[in-house]
């Protein structure tokens, strides 16, 4: 399980680079995206597509290959595999066969955003991507409005504004939010403050890129 950069290539560890250059096969979400990354790193290894549409089928095949002696690295398009990305089923398949699963730690957008947000870090709920519908998002926010821990969500550029608006509508104007955009990339941006201010500031910046939305516990004051 090899973590890859979420932006800056310099964040790839020496251990990850070494392993990726030596394994028999690299399983990845998108062979084109990962192929570009590996080319920039000067790594040439066979690739196999392993994504949400084929993971049930491919997981068992890869586990069988591992049981027969192959070394396989699993990577995602960016960050740590299996966190809101394909990977869980492959790990489960390997565990069922008592095969070794080795985590190679590295970049992770959720924890990286939390560390730089200024929101409480004593505990957090990572909920990945919310459902795309407004009603489902608002139901989630209502359910977790009294949580004692920071909530961390991933969101697409197409829905980040709507998600912030829904959070504000349910949790109120003063609930502290953090929107982290394009972490470790050229246009890295953190927008932190009361929900009303965050929504206003988001309306003035480009919403292209990858986003993490963090929601502080109730009564938290920045």
């Amino acid at each position: 399980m090899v973590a890859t950069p979420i932006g800056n290539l310099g964040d790839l560890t020496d251990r990850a680079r070494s392993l990726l250059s030596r394994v028999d096969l690299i399983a990845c979400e998108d062979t084109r995206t990962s192929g570009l990354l590996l080319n920039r790193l000067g790594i040439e290894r066979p690739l196999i597509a392993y994504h949400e549409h084929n993971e049930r089928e491919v997981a068992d095949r890869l586990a069988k290959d591992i049981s027969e002696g192959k070394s396989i690295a699993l990577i995602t398009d960016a960050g740590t595999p299996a966190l809101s990305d394909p990977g869980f089923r492959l790990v489960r398949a390997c565990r069922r066969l008592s095969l070794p699963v080795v985590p190679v730690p590295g970049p992770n957008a959720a924890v990286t955003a939390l560390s730089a947000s200024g929101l409480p870090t004593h505990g957090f709920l990572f909920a990945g991507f919310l459902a795309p519908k407004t009603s489902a998002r608002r139901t989630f926010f209502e359910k977790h409005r009294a949580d004692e821990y920071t909530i961390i969500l991933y969101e697409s550029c197409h829905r980040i504004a709507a998600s912030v608006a829904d959070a504000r509508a349910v949790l109120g104007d003063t609930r502290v939010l953090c929107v982290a955009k394009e972490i470790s990339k050229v246009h890295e941006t953190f927008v932190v403050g009361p929900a009303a201010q965050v929504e206003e500031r988001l309306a003035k910046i480009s919403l292209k890129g990858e986003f993490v939305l963090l929601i502080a516990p109730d009564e938290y004051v920045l």
Side-chain angles (χ1 to χ4, degrees):
M1 307 289 286
V2 181
T4 55
I6 57 178
N8 193 314
L9 288 183
D11 294 334
L12 185 73
T13 66
D14 290 340
R15 181 186 179 200
R17 184 189 294 265
S18 175
L19 283 171
L20 289 175
S21 66
R22 291 187 286 111
V23 293
D24 296 314
L25 181 66
I26 297 175
C28 56
E29 281 186 271
D30 188 323
T31 55
R32 294 166 300 180
T33 300
S34 295
L36 290 173
L37 170 65
L38 296 173
N39 284 338
R40 294 178 67 181
L41 296 172
I43 295 173
E44 294 185 11
R45 305 307 301 158
L47 301 176
I48 183 173
Y50 175 78
H51 46 70
E52 61 179 339
H53 302 297
N54 71 359
E55 59 179 324
R56 292 179 183 273
E57 170 192 350
V58 177
D60 290 335
R61 187 199 317 168
L62 293 177
K64 182 176 183 295
D65 288 343
I66 295 170
S67 70
E68 294 174 351
K70 280 190 176 182
S71 58
I72 298 177
L74 175 66
I75 62 176
T76 182
D77 284 348
T80 301
L83 298 180
S84 284
D85 285 299
F88 160 73
R89 287 187 174 84
L90 175 56
V91 174
R92 181 176 62 180
C94 289
R95 292 300 183 192
R96 285 175 172 171
L97 296 176
S98 298
L99 300 171
V101 178
V102 181
V104 182
N108 172 263
V111 174
T112 304
L114 178 62
S115 71
S117 68
L119 276 57
T121 59
H122 60 284
F124 63 89
L125 168 66
F126 173 64
F129 288 92
L130 294 185
K133 293 186 177 179
T134 294
S135 59
R137 286 195 298 265
R138 294 196 177 194
T139 297
F140 175 88
F141 294 140
E142 185 63 45
K143 178 180 179 181
H144 294 280
R145 68 159 52 243
D147 282 9
E148 299 177 359
Y149 304 115
T150 296
I151 298 170
I152 307 176
L153 305 165
Y154 288 161
E155 193 51 278
S156 75
C157 58
H158 306 293
R159 293 195 294 268
I160 184 62
S163 289
V164 168
D166 289 337
R168 177 187 177 186
V170 174
L171 304 175
D173 290 353
T174 61
R175 189 65 164 258
V176 176
L177 308 179
C178 170
V179 174
K181 168 191 171 183
E182 294 287 85
I183 298 172
S184 83
K185 300 178 184 177
V186 173
H187 299 292
E188 176 181 279
T189 305
F190 280 79
V191 180
V192 188
Q197 293 181 18
V198 169
E199 185 174 9
E200 180 180 350
R201 290 171 62 189
L202 282 184
K204 299 177 181 178
I205 67 173
S206 168
L207 296 184
K208 293 181 180 180
E210 306 292 332
F211 290 85
V212 182
L213 170 62
L214 302 95
I215 302 170
D218 194 18
E219 306 299 330
Y220 173 74
V221 179
L222 187 64

